[in-house]
Amino acid sequence: MLDFIILMAQNGVSNMDVLSVDQFDIKQLEKIFSLAESIERRLKDKKAAKELAQKHFDKQICTLFYEPSTRTRLSFETAGLKLGMGVVSTENAAGFSSAAKGETLEDTINVLNNYGLSAIIIRHTETGAAGKAASVSKVPIINAGDGTGEHPTQALLDAYTIKKHFGRLDNLKVVAGGDLKYGRTIRSLCRLLALYPGNHVSFVSTPELQMADDIKQLLQKSGTTYDETDDVNKVFADTDVVYWTRLQKERLENPGSIDSGGFTLTADNISKLPKEAIILHPLPRVDEIDPEVDKDPRAKYFEQAGNGLYIRMALLDQIASS
Ligand code: CP
């Protein structure tokens, strides 16, 4: 029985859906991280990896992506394959599924429900689309990013990366920078950080890309302190985690209205960071981190992307075992 994904108390969604980080508490998060860690270890052992690759030979998953993706779709598909699952996929559902002929999301999900799948992993342009899919689905739905809403599995892998490095998710100073208005990954990560005591978040953005009030209110309510600045130099000297993001141009009402997220991390400005700090980015990167930064041992964003495989294997393993 799945014990770490709890009931979402809305729309009658199944207790195996992964729609929002809000459905997890600290105990459940620790179980996910512990399973991800065990899977990471087993993948390094030839015999254990082979056993994993046979574990769910009779299960299939579907990746249904209405928006572009490299990491989320391919790591979910790799995760399924490394657990022995079959994978069916539509990588451009907006253009090449029957959505292009006018089929509703609900009808698509109702059809997929007849194929004996173990999970449907969905990315969509609309905030709330994963919840909408879950409201009609008997098959567990995993939210792989819905508009400017949430990206829960990204937040899980972000938190897993932080935990692996610092051994904890509390009492951390986090600098979140770039496009805080349209980026969904930082919204989900803030929700997770708010569960743990003693965290402080510094939001660094230009005035037009500031973090929305709902997240600031959530932090305040949970006792997580935050500040806002447009000057990285004010916050870099005293931070544990730098979480940088790109401008989400695809979400701007007028795509030409803003050129960039306003701040580029360079070898020069990261020299102000403490030696133990880590630099994360959900990727893709455009021009907000100079490739020179990649050589710095504090740059962990590629390792972070790799952690997505273990987290997504942990989720799929639990869902398929239930
Ligand atoms: N971080 C992330 O969601 O990357 P993709 O858009 O490539 O899936």
Side-chain angles (χ1 to χ4, degrees), residues 55-203:
K55 187 168 180 189
H56 297 292
F57 69 92
D58 54 347
K59 305 277 166 56
Q60 296 85 36
I61 56 168
C62 173
T63 52
L64 182 63
F65 275 54
Y66 293 80
E67 263 194 353
S69 166
T70 299
R71 279 146 291 275
T72 312
R73 187 172 67 82
L74 296 179
S75 64
F76 260 118
E77 293 182 4
T78 308
L81 293 170
K82 283 182 184 286
L83 288 165
M85 297 171 171
V87 178
V88 291
S89 180
T90 173
E91 65 182 31
N92 177 6
F96 295 115
S97 77
S98 284
K101 302 175 209 162
E103 184 169 70
T104 63
L105 177 61
E106 289 90 335
D107 280 0
T108 302
I109 297 296
N110 274 324
V111 169
L112 292 178
N113 267 230
N114 291 306
Y115 297 160
L117 297 164
S118 293
I120 299 169
I121 298 128
I122 178 169
R123 171 170 287 191
H124 205 283
T125 48
E126 271 176 44
T127 304
K132 195 198 270 185
S135 71
V136 297
S137 187
K138 292 183 184 68
V139 175
I141 297 289
I142 302 180
N143 181 2
D146 61 332
T148 54
E150 277 216 50
H151 193 346
T153 65
Q154 176 72 43
L156 291 174
L157 76 90
D158 294 341
Y160 181 62
T161 306
I162 296 170
K163 175 107 196 282
K164 267 170 82 175
H165 189 81
F166 292 100
R168 66 179 200 278
L169 282 161
D170 56 86
N171 294 297
L172 293 164
K173 293 192 182 84
V174 179
V175 174
D179 180 355
L180 307 177
K181 182 173 178 182
Y182 299 102
R184 57 196 171 201
T185 66
I186 186 59
R187 292 175 55 80
S188 289
L189 181 60
C190 282
R191 288 170 184 274
L192 281 192
L193 289 171
L195 290 176
Y196 294 83
N199 289 322
H200 178 84
V201 186
S202 295
F203 293 120

Side-chain angles (χ1 to χ4, degrees), residues 148 179 181-182 208-209 247-260:
T148 54
D179 180 355
K181 182 173 178 182
Y182 299 102
E208 64 272 27
L209 295 172
L247 174 65
Q248 307 269 310
K249 275 199 172 162
E250 67 275 27
R251 304 202 195 290
L252 298 179
E253 276 161 35
N254 177 4
S257 60
I258 306 175
D259 282 342
S260 76

